């Protein structure tokens, strides 16, 4: 009975890693649409979000079934509750990718990101995509060391966000309010994707060790 229970738990975590892959594809697609003004690609990212929503529902159904049928306690209960919180965070990361794609679509046939700020925005997207990819591996391997390292590496995203503000608030900004609002929102979306990735990684640490790394750092 317990062996079957833990096999079901492993399936839940496999599904979480699968959702990470979908989110990684969403971030990459939304970014390409943003930087190229590709309306068709932006539409595909927006439409594909339904697959993330359905995958979330599947994980939630599995978790609630385990809660009601197995009545887990201690570490097993902690794992199921963490899975429910993680799937919510992953879905939100997908939603944020959709927000990026919608800005890309809104500005077609133009490109939303002015040329001089493209390096910063491109790097923010690269960092976000890399963090999502690493979260997938962290979930699959329940890798505590990699999870803690991810949290530390989030500093680059924070610095890029500050840089984007400096660029759009500079005296020589010549692209108007509309573009400034786009850049501010895009920076926030990528930053939040990274924040959610760190949160998911922290929950893996909690599942494995019973310790919240944020409280330890504090």
């Amino acid at each position: 009975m317990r062996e079957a229970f833990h096999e079901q738990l492993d399936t839940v975590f496999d599904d979480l890693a699968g959702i990470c892959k979908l989110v990684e594809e969403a971030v990459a697609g939304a970014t390409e649409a943003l930087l190229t003004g590709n309306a068709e690609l932006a539409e595909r990212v927006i439409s594909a979000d339904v697959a993330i929503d359905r995958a979330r529902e599947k994980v939630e159904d599995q978790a609630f079934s385990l809660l009601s049928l197995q009545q887990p306690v201690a570490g097993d209960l902690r794992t199921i509750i963490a899975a429910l919180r993680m799937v919510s965070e992953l879905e939100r990361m997908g939603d944020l990718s959709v927000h990026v794609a919608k800005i890309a679509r809104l500005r077609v046939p133009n490109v939303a990101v002015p040329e001089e700020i493209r390096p910063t925005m491109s790097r923010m997207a690269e960092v976000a995509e890399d963090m999502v990819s690493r979260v997938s591996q962290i979930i699959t391997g329940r890798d505590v060391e990699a999870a803690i390292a991810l949290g530390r590496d989030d500093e680059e995203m924070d610095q890029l966000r500050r840089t984007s503000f400096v660029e759009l608030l500079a005296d020589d900004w010549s692209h108007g309010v509309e573009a400034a609002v786009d850049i501010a929102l895009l920076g926030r979306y990528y930053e939040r994707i990274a924040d959610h990735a760190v949160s998911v990684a922290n929950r893996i640490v909690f599942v494995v060790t019973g310790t919240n790394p944020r409280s330890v750092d504090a």
Side-chain angles (χ1 to χ4, degrees), residues 33-37 100 103-108 110-114 117-118 173 178-180 182-183 186:
L34 178 71
L35 297 177
T36 62
V100 173
I103 288 181
R105 183 181 64 180
L106 181 65
R107 301 307 172 204
V108 171
N110 299 316
V111 176
V113 181
I117 204 168
R118 284 173 68 93
W173 178 264
E178 187 177 82
D182 283 347
I183 295 304
L186 289 165

PDB file of all heavy atoms in Angstrom, residues 33-37 100 103-108 110-114 117-118 173 178-180 182-183 186:
ATOM      1  N   ALA A  33       8.775  35.943 -29.901  1.00  0.00           N
ATOM      2  CA  ALA A  33       7.712  36.774 -30.470  1.00  0.00           C
ATOM      3  C   ALA A  33       7.925  38.241 -30.121  1.00  0.00           C
ATOM      4  O   ALA A  33       7.720  39.134 -30.956  1.00  0.00           O
ATOM      5  CB  ALA A  33       6.351  36.298 -29.962  1.00  0.00           C
ATOM      6  N   LEU A  34       8.360  38.486 -28.898  1.00  0.00           N
ATOM      7  CA  LEU A  34       8.580  39.852 -28.432  1.00  0.00           C
ATOM      8  C   LEU A  34       9.694  40.545 -29.198  1.00  0.00           C
ATOM      9  O   LEU A  34       9.565  41.713 -29.592  1.00  0.00           O
ATOM     10  CB  LEU A  34       8.923  39.828 -26.931  1.00  0.00           C
ATOM     11  CG  LEU A  34       9.242  41.169 -26.274  1.00  0.00           C
ATOM     12  CD1 LEU A  34       7.969  42.003 -26.152  1.00  0.00           C
ATOM     13  CD2 LEU A  34       9.889  40.950 -24.906  1.00  0.00           C
ATOM     14  N   LEU A  35      10.780  39.832 -29.418  1.00  0.00           N
ATOM     15  CA  LEU A  35      11.960  40.449 -30.018  1.00  0.00           C
ATOM     16  C   LEU A  35      11.905  40.488 -31.542  1.00  0.00           C
ATOM     17  O   LEU A  35      12.712  41.183 -32.173  1.00  0.00           O
ATOM     18  CB  LEU A  35      13.224  39.720 -29.555  1.00  0.00           C
ATOM     19  CG  LEU A  35      13.504  39.776 -28.042  1.00  0.00           C
ATOM     20  CD1 LEU A  35      14.751  38.964 -27.697  1.00  0.00           C
ATOM     21  CD2 LEU A  35      13.653  41.218 -27.567  1.00  0.00           C
ATOM     22  N   THR A  36      10.978  39.742 -32.142  1.00  0.00           N
ATOM     23  CA  THR A  36      10.889  39.702 -33.607  1.00  0.00           C
ATOM     24  C   THR A  36       9.580  40.297 -34.128  1.00  0.00           C
ATOM     25  O   THR A  36       9.435  40.486 -35.341  1.00  0.00           O
ATOM     26  CB  THR A  36      11.001  38.257 -34.117  1.00  0.00           C
ATOM     27  OG1 THR A  36       9.903  37.482 -33.602  1.00  0.00           O
ATOM     28  CG2 THR A  36      12.315  37.628 -33.698  1.00  0.00           C
ATOM     29  N   GLY A  37       8.625  40.550 -33.223  1.00  0.00           N
ATOM     30  CA  GLY A  37       7.328  41.032 -33.680  1.00  0.00           C
ATOM     31  C   GLY A  37       6.528  39.974 -34.415  1.00  0.00           C
ATOM     32  O   GLY A  37       5.739  40.283 -35.309  1.00  0.00           O
ATOM     33  N   VAL A 100       3.738  38.381 -21.646  1.00  0.00           N
ATOM     34  CA  VAL A 100       4.809  38.822 -22.548  1.00  0.00           C
ATOM     35  C   VAL A 100       4.345  38.694 -23.999  1.00  0.00           C
ATOM     36  O   VAL A 100       4.517  39.620 -24.808  1.00  0.00           O
ATOM     37  CB  VAL A 100       6.093  37.995 -22.318  1.00  0.00           C
ATOM     38  CG1 VAL A 100       7.145  38.334 -23.388  1.00  0.00           C
ATOM     39  CG2 VAL A 100       6.658  38.257 -20.922  1.00  0.00           C
ATOM     40  N   ILE A 103       1.923  41.451 -25.086  1.00  0.00           N
ATOM     41  CA  ILE A 103       2.565  42.729 -25.412  1.00  0.00           C
ATOM     42  C   ILE A 103       3.174  42.648 -26.808  1.00  0.00           C
ATOM     43  O   ILE A 103       3.063  43.585 -27.609  1.00  0.00           O
ATOM     44  CB  ILE A 103       3.619  43.095 -24.355  1.00  0.00           C
ATOM     45  CG1 ILE A 103       2.933  43.518 -23.050  1.00  0.00           C
ATOM     46  CG2 ILE A 103       4.533  44.215 -24.863  1.00  0.00           C
ATOM     47  CD1 ILE A 103       3.883  43.922 -21.945  1.00  0.00           C
ATOM     48  N   ALA A 104       3.811  41.511 -27.113  1.00  0.00           N
ATOM     49  CA  ALA A 104       4.379  41.331 -28.450  1.00  0.00           C
ATOM     50  C   ALA A 104       3.294  41.465 -29.513  1.00  0.00           C
ATOM     51  O   ALA A 104       3.470  42.165 -30.520  1.00  0.00           O
ATOM     52  CB  ALA A 104       5.051  39.958 -28.546  1.00  0.00           C
ATOM     53  N   ARG A 105       2.162  40.799 -29.298  1.00  0.00           N
ATOM     54  CA  ARG A 105       1.066  40.830 -30.265  1.00  0.00           C
ATOM     55  C   ARG A 105       0.471  42.233 -30.405  1.00  0.00           C
ATOM     56  O   ARG A 105       0.135  42.668 -31.512  1.00  0.00           O
ATOM     57  CB  ARG A 105      -0.021  39.850 -29.823  1.00  0.00           C
ATOM     58  CG  ARG A 105      -1.193  39.736 -30.778  1.00  0.00           C
ATOM     59  CD  ARG A 105      -2.240  38.769 -30.260  1.00  0.00           C
ATOM     60  NE  ARG A 105      -2.843  39.228 -29.010  1.00  0.00           N
ATOM     61  CZ  ARG A 105      -3.791  38.548 -28.358  1.00  0.00           C
ATOM     62  NH1 ARG A 105      -4.220  37.379 -28.835  1.00  0.00           N
ATOM     63  NH2 ARG A 105      -4.299  39.020 -27.238  1.00  0.00           N
ATOM     64  N   LEU A 106       0.377  42.929 -29.294  1.00  0.00           N
ATOM     65  CA  LEU A 106      -0.234  44.262 -29.296  1.00  0.00           C
ATOM     66  C   LEU A 106       0.541  45.243 -30.164  1.00  0.00           C
ATOM     67  O   LEU A 106      -0.049  46.137 -30.787  1.00  0.00           O
ATOM     68  CB  LEU A 106      -0.314  44.778 -27.853  1.00  0.00           C
ATOM     69  CG  LEU A 106      -0.948  46.154 -27.627  1.00  0.00           C
ATOM     70  CD1 LEU A 106      -2.427  46.117 -28.015  1.00  0.00           C
ATOM     71  CD2 LEU A 106      -0.788  46.571 -26.165  1.00  0.00           C
ATOM     72  N   ARG A 107       1.882  45.092 -30.208  1.00  0.00           N
ATOM     73  CA  ARG A 107       2.714  46.070 -30.914  1.00  0.00           C
ATOM     74  C   ARG A 107       2.986  45.716 -32.368  1.00  0.00           C
ATOM     75  O   ARG A 107       3.637  46.492 -33.080  1.00  0.00           O
ATOM     76  CB  ARG A 107       4.035  46.253 -30.160  1.00  0.00           C
ATOM     77  CG  ARG A 107       3.876  46.734 -28.732  1.00  0.00           C
ATOM     78  CD  ARG A 107       3.028  47.971 -28.638  1.00  0.00           C
ATOM     79  NE  ARG A 107       2.715  48.320 -27.239  1.00  0.00           N
ATOM     80  CZ  ARG A 107       1.673  49.033 -26.883  1.00  0.00           C
ATOM     81  NH1 ARG A 107       0.829  49.493 -27.802  1.00  0.00           N
ATOM     82  NH2 ARG A 107       1.442  49.293 -25.606  1.00  0.00           N
ATOM     83  N   VAL A 108       2.567  44.545 -32.815  1.00  0.00           N
ATOM     84  CA  VAL A 108       2.747  44.176 -34.220  1.00  0.00           C
ATOM     85  C   VAL A 108       1.996  45.196 -35.094  1.00  0.00           C
ATOM     86  O   VAL A 108       0.890  45.607 -34.745  1.00  0.00           O
ATOM     87  CB  VAL A 108       2.204  42.736 -34.446  1.00  0.00           C
ATOM     88  CG1 VAL A 108       2.180  42.400 -35.931  1.00  0.00           C
ATOM     89  CG2 VAL A 108       3.031  41.716 -33.672  1.00  0.00           C
ATOM     90  N   ASN A 110       5.066  46.497 -35.289  1.00  0.00           N
ATOM     91  CA  ASN A 110       6.296  46.989 -34.674  1.00  0.00           C
ATOM     92  C   ASN A 110       6.809  45.993 -33.639  1.00  0.00           C
ATOM     93  O   ASN A 110       6.119  45.041 -33.261  1.00  0.00           O
ATOM     94  CB  ASN A 110       6.048  48.351 -34.022  1.00  0.00           C
ATOM     95  CG  ASN A 110       5.616  49.401 -35.027  1.00  0.00           C
ATOM     96  OD1 ASN A 110       6.194  49.493 -36.107  1.00  0.00           O
ATOM     97  ND2 ASN A 110       4.581  50.165 -34.692  1.00  0.00           N
ATOM     98  N   VAL A 111       8.006  46.237 -33.171  1.00  0.00           N
ATOM     99  CA  VAL A 111       8.597  45.429 -32.105  1.00  0.00           C
ATOM    100  C   VAL A 111       8.538  46.242 -30.817  1.00  0.00           C
ATOM    101  O   VAL A 111       8.892  47.428 -30.805  1.00  0.00           O
ATOM    102  CB  VAL A 111      10.057  45.046 -32.436  1.00  0.00           C
ATOM    103  CG1 VAL A 111      10.697  44.302 -31.275  1.00  0.00           C
ATOM    104  CG2 VAL A 111      10.089  44.196 -33.701  1.00  0.00           C
ATOM    105  N   ALA A 112       8.065  45.618 -29.738  1.00  0.00           N
ATOM    106  CA  ALA A 112       7.806  46.352 -28.494  1.00  0.00           C
ATOM    107  C   ALA A 112       9.072  46.859 -27.815  1.00  0.00           C
ATOM    108  O   ALA A 112       9.031  47.850 -27.077  1.00  0.00           O
ATOM    109  CB  ALA A 112       7.025  45.461 -27.525  1.00  0.00           C
ATOM    110  N   VAL A 113      10.215  46.195 -28.046  1.00  0.00           N
ATOM    111  CA  VAL A 113      11.441  46.525 -27.325  1.00  0.00           C
ATOM    112  C   VAL A 113      12.344  47.400 -28.186  1.00  0.00           C
ATOM    113  O   VAL A 113      12.829  46.952 -29.231  1.00  0.00           O
ATOM    114  CB  VAL A 113      12.195  45.247 -26.908  1.00  0.00           C
ATOM    115  CG1 VAL A 113      13.463  45.595 -26.128  1.00  0.00           C
ATOM    116  CG2 VAL A 113      11.295  44.325 -26.093  1.00  0.00           C
ATOM    117  N   PRO A 114      12.594  48.653 -27.793  1.00  0.00           N
ATOM    118  CA  PRO A 114      13.510  49.524 -28.543  1.00  0.00           C
ATOM    119  C   PRO A 114      14.910  48.915 -28.643  1.00  0.00           C
ATOM    120  O   PRO A 114      15.341  48.170 -27.749  1.00  0.00           O
ATOM    121  CB  PRO A 114      13.533  50.806 -27.702  1.00  0.00           C
ATOM    122  CG  PRO A 114      12.238  50.788 -26.951  1.00  0.00           C
ATOM    123  CD  PRO A 114      11.971  49.348 -26.652  1.00  0.00           C
ATOM    124  N   ILE A 117      17.541  48.884 -25.719  1.00  0.00           N
ATOM    125  CA  ILE A 117      17.260  48.148 -24.487  1.00  0.00           C
ATOM    126  C   ILE A 117      17.126  46.646 -24.738  1.00  0.00           C
ATOM    127  O   ILE A 117      16.945  45.862 -23.806  1.00  0.00           O
ATOM    128  CB  ILE A 117      15.989  48.709 -23.799  1.00  0.00           C
ATOM    129  CG1 ILE A 117      16.010  48.405 -22.296  1.00  0.00           C
ATOM    130  CG2 ILE A 117      14.710  48.169 -24.417  1.00  0.00           C
ATOM    131  CD1 ILE A 117      14.952  49.159 -21.508  1.00  0.00           C
ATOM    132  N   ARG A 118      17.291  46.247 -25.991  1.00  0.00           N
ATOM    133  CA  ARG A 118      17.190  44.820 -26.330  1.00  0.00           C
ATOM    134  C   ARG A 118      18.209  43.952 -25.596  1.00  0.00           C
ATOM    135  O   ARG A 118      17.865  42.850 -25.144  1.00  0.00           O
ATOM    136  CB  ARG A 118      17.337  44.624 -27.845  1.00  0.00           C
ATOM    137  CG  ARG A 118      16.093  45.013 -28.621  1.00  0.00           C
ATOM    138  CD  ARG A 118      16.359  44.953 -30.118  1.00  0.00           C
ATOM    139  NE  ARG A 118      16.575  43.594 -30.579  1.00  0.00           N
ATOM    140  CZ  ARG A 118      15.599  42.809 -31.049  1.00  0.00           C
ATOM    141  NH1 ARG A 118      14.360  43.240 -31.103  1.00  0.00           N
ATOM    142  NH2 ARG A 118      15.875  41.583 -31.465  1.00  0.00           N
ATOM    143  N   TRP A 173      15.829  59.036 -23.137  1.00  0.00           N
ATOM    144  CA  TRP A 173      14.773  58.116 -23.577  1.00  0.00           C
ATOM    145  C   TRP A 173      13.874  58.848 -24.576  1.00  0.00           C
ATOM    146  O   TRP A 173      13.315  59.897 -24.267  1.00  0.00           O
ATOM    147  CB  TRP A 173      13.962  57.637 -22.380  1.00  0.00           C
ATOM    148  CG  TRP A 173      12.824  56.708 -22.758  1.00  0.00           C
ATOM    149  CD1 TRP A 173      11.526  57.042 -22.965  1.00  0.00           C
ATOM    150  CD2 TRP A 173      12.914  55.306 -22.977  1.00  0.00           C
ATOM    151  NE1 TRP A 173      10.787  55.936 -23.297  1.00  0.00           N
ATOM    152  CE2 TRP A 173      11.607  54.845 -23.324  1.00  0.00           C
ATOM    153  CE3 TRP A 173      13.963  54.379 -22.932  1.00  0.00           C
ATOM    154  CZ2 TRP A 173      11.330  53.508 -23.594  1.00  0.00           C
ATOM    155  CZ3 TRP A 173      13.683  53.039 -23.208  1.00  0.00           C
ATOM    156  CH2 TRP A 173      12.393  52.617 -23.537  1.00  0.00           C
ATOM    157  N   GLU A 178       4.303  55.029 -23.927  1.00  0.00           N
ATOM    158  CA  GLU A 178       3.805  53.690 -24.241  1.00  0.00           C
ATOM    159  C   GLU A 178       4.909  52.651 -24.184  1.00  0.00           C
ATOM    160  O   GLU A 178       4.770  51.582 -23.562  1.00  0.00           O
ATOM    161  CB  GLU A 178       3.166  53.686 -25.629  1.00  0.00           C
ATOM    162  CG  GLU A 178       2.462  52.398 -25.983  1.00  0.00           C
ATOM    163  CD  GLU A 178       1.791  52.505 -27.334  1.00  0.00           C
ATOM    164  OE1 GLU A 178       2.488  52.331 -28.363  1.00  0.00           O
ATOM    165  OE2 GLU A 178       0.570  52.770 -27.374  1.00  0.00           O
ATOM    166  N   ALA A 179       6.033  52.934 -24.814  1.00  0.00           N
ATOM    167  CA  ALA A 179       7.160  52.000 -24.805  1.00  0.00           C
ATOM    168  C   ALA A 179       7.740  51.853 -23.402  1.00  0.00           C
ATOM    169  O   ALA A 179       8.147  50.756 -23.004  1.00  0.00           O
ATOM    170  CB  ALA A 179       8.242  52.478 -25.770  1.00  0.00           C
ATOM    171  N   ALA A 180       7.761  52.950 -22.640  1.00  0.00           N
ATOM    172  CA  ALA A 180       8.278  52.887 -21.272  1.00  0.00           C
ATOM    173  C   ALA A 180       7.411  51.974 -20.411  1.00  0.00           C
ATOM    174  O   ALA A 180       7.928  51.178 -19.604  1.00  0.00           O
ATOM    175  CB  ALA A 180       8.339  54.293 -20.669  1.00  0.00           C
ATOM    176  N   ASP A 182       5.564  49.485 -21.530  1.00  0.00           N
ATOM    177  CA  ASP A 182       5.833  48.117 -21.990  1.00  0.00           C
ATOM    178  C   ASP A 182       7.084  47.544 -21.327  1.00  0.00           C
ATOM    179  O   ASP A 182       7.081  46.410 -20.821  1.00  0.00           O
ATOM    180  CB  ASP A 182       6.027  48.098 -23.513  1.00  0.00           C
ATOM    181  CG  ASP A 182       4.724  48.204 -24.274  1.00  0.00           C
ATOM    182  OD1 ASP A 182       3.653  48.041 -23.656  1.00  0.00           O
ATOM    183  OD2 ASP A 182       4.775  48.450 -25.501  1.00  0.00           O
ATOM    184  N   ILE A 183       8.150  48.320 -21.323  1.00  0.00           N
ATOM    185  CA  ILE A 183       9.414  47.837 -20.765  1.00  0.00           C
ATOM    186  C   ILE A 183       9.285  47.599 -19.261  1.00  0.00           C
ATOM    187  O   ILE A 183       9.800  46.601 -18.728  1.00  0.00           O
ATOM    188  CB  ILE A 183      10.556  48.835 -21.063  1.00  0.00           C
ATOM    189  CG1 ILE A 183      10.814  48.916 -22.572  1.00  0.00           C
ATOM    190  CG2 ILE A 183      11.833  48.432 -20.325  1.00  0.00           C
ATOM    191  CD1 ILE A 183      11.121  47.582 -23.223  1.00  0.00           C
ATOM    192  N   LEU A 186       7.276  44.371 -18.916  1.00  0.00           N
ATOM    193  CA  LEU A 186       8.058  43.203 -19.330  1.00  0.00           C
ATOM    194  C   LEU A 186       9.121  42.844 -18.296  1.00  0.00           C
ATOM    195  O   LEU A 186       9.321  41.665 -17.975  1.00  0.00           O
ATOM    196  CB  LEU A 186       8.716  43.484 -20.690  1.00  0.00           C
ATOM    197  CG  LEU A 186       7.760  43.518 -21.881  1.00  0.00           C
ATOM    198  CD1 LEU A 186       8.435  44.167 -23.088  1.00  0.00           C
ATOM    199  CD2 LEU A 186       7.272  42.123 -22.226  1.00  0.00           C
TER     200      LEU A 186
END
